């Protein structure tokens, strides 16, 4: 279908028209621009409480996280979802998708732990997936202290964050845990390549561009050969069997559409339960107001059985 009126209105906003493409900026300047854009997002809904703290990372480092406790929860351990923000592994922080995390916590009736993993190019691959996996292990171990149920642990993310959520499931399978109940993947990056039909159709003009993705990958990978690693390109993983059930959301006008749909099909072929949907008329960076509620509904259905 044609580009949705919501997406057209998003692109027509003055701050979007004035935005400088990331490929024309240094990582530092791109982060400044990204933070300025995030300040324009309306505040999210109210949750029972939030808490910012740091948890142990790999190799002695510390990882900033923000925990959202949903409104209206009763007594007893609650399910928990680790959330990994987007931003091409270069941009983003705990404020970048604060509103989405608040809606997800309330909508899914679960605790959400947002993880501010290390960013490239200062910390190239595999720093980010190692941080995200360390966070998953920590949350699983600290269930009693956090008031969460480690047997109902989910992972979720958007774009590069969805890529990291997938990496965590692969690492958990390889390393024998923690157990992950399900994964929610919004417009995921799944392969270090740029030759799909959706890259040709959506190379420019729809928020995320071909040159932008080349810029992100170029900063994320210390060596181009690292792009073949399954933690970077999960579509190239030899065996996806045994991974947690997934919800995979793609957008019609997104360079990443085809690789996201291909990953959903690979999961199905491996016997993994998958729900998938392509947002007709939508772009990568603007999924429409139904996106987060759909993710929350999926998490609620899987974590409150």
């Amino acid at each position: 279908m044609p580009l949705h009126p919501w997406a057209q209105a998003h692109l027509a906003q003055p701050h979007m028209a004035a935005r400088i493409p990331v490929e024309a900026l240094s990582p530092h300047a791109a982060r400044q621009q990204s933070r300025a854009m995030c300040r324009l997002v309306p505040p999210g809904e109210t949750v029972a409480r939030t808490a910012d703290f740091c948890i142990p990372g790999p190799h002695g480092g510390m990882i900033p996280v923000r925990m959202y406790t949903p409104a209206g929860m009763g007594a007893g351990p609650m399910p928990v979802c680790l959330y990994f923000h987007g931003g091409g592994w270069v941009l983003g922080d705990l404020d970048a998708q604060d509103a989405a995390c608040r809606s997800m916590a309330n909508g899914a009736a679960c605790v959400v732990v947002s993880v501010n993993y290390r960013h490239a190019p200062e910390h190239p691959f595999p720093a980010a997936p190692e941080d995200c996996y360390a966070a998953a292990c920590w949350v699983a171990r600290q269930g009693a202290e956090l008031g969460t149920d480690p047997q109902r642990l989910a992972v979720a993310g958007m774009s590069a964050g969805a890529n990291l959520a997938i990496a965590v499931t692969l690492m958990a399978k390889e390393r024998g845990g923690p157990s992950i109940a399900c994964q929610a993947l919004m417009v995921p990056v799944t392969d270090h390549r740029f030759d799909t039909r959706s890259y040709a159709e959506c190379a420019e003009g729809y928020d995320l561009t071909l040159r932008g993705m080349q810029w992100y990958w170029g900063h994320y990978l210390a060596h181009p050969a690292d792009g073949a690693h399954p933690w970077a390109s999960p579509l190239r993983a030899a065996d996806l069997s045994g991974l947690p059930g997934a919800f995979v959301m793609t957008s019609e006008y997104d360079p990443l559409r085809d690789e996201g749909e291909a990953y959903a099909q690979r999961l199905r072929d491996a016997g993994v339960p998958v729900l998938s949907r392509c947002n007709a008329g939508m772009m990568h960076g603007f999924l429409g107001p139904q996106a987060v509620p759909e993710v929350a509904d999926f998490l609620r259905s899987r974590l409150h059985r």
Side-chain angles (χ1 to χ4, degrees), residues 56-289:
H59 316 301
M62 301 298 288
I63 306 169
V65 301
R66 179 174 296 164
M67 188 169 81
Y68 301 81
T69 302
M73 290 298 294
M78 290 180 283
V80 57
C81 176
L82 280 102
Y83 184 81
F84 309 115
H85 65 76
W89 311 283
V90 177
L91 313 179
D93 53 28
L94 293 177
D95 294 328
Q97 290 169 327
D98 179 77
C101 289
R102 290 170 177 271
S103 297
M104 199 175 301
N106 285 340
C110 74
V111 169
V112 171
V113 179
S114 180
V115 180
N116 195 24
Y117 49 85
R118 286 174 291 171
H119 296 87
E122 296 86 352
H123 304 283
F125 175 86
E130 289 285 9
D131 279 4
C132 294
Y133 177 73
C137 292
W138 186 87
V139 168
R141 290 195 305 268
Q142 299 298 318
E145 180 180 336
L146 298 175
T148 59
D149 180 359
Q151 299 305 311
R152 293 186 289 165
L153 168 64
V155 293
M158 180 179 290
S159 191
N163 171 274
L164 294 171
I166 299 170
V168 169
T169 68
L170 294 172
M171 297 166 82
K173 177 183 175 181
E174 294 171 12
R175 299 177 179 183
S179 176
I180 298 174
C182 61
Q183 52 182 322
L185 313 171
M186 292 177 278
V187 290
V189 185
T190 69
D191 202 2
H192 178 222
R193 56 183 296 200
F194 310 102
D195 59 355
T196 61
R197 179 181 175 184
S198 56
Y199 262 112
E201 294 176 345
C202 309
E204 58 183 29
Y206 302 108
D207 189 32
L208 182 65
T209 67
L210 166 61
R211 284 177 290 182
M213 276 306 300
Q214 290 170 334
W215 185 88
Y216 289 124
W217 274 112
H219 286 300
Y220 184 45
L221 303 177
H223 308 285
D226 291 340
H229 196 291
W231 299 351
S233 294
L235 194 57
R236 306 190 197 187
D239 180 15
L240 299 179
S241 63
L243 294 183
F247 178 39
V248 182
M249 181 177 287
T250 59
S251 287
E252 182 179 5
Y253 290 94
D254 182 359
L256 307 182
R257 181 194 68 217
D258 289 354
E259 64 192 75
E261 293 178 352
Y263 188 70
Q265 188 58 50
R266 280 285 317 277
L267 288 173
R268 290 189 186 96
D269 293 343
V272 176
V274 179
L275 294 175
S276 63
R277 191 172 75 77
C278 182
N279 286 283
M282 292 299 184
M283 309 176 304
H284 178 84
F286 189 75
L287 297 176

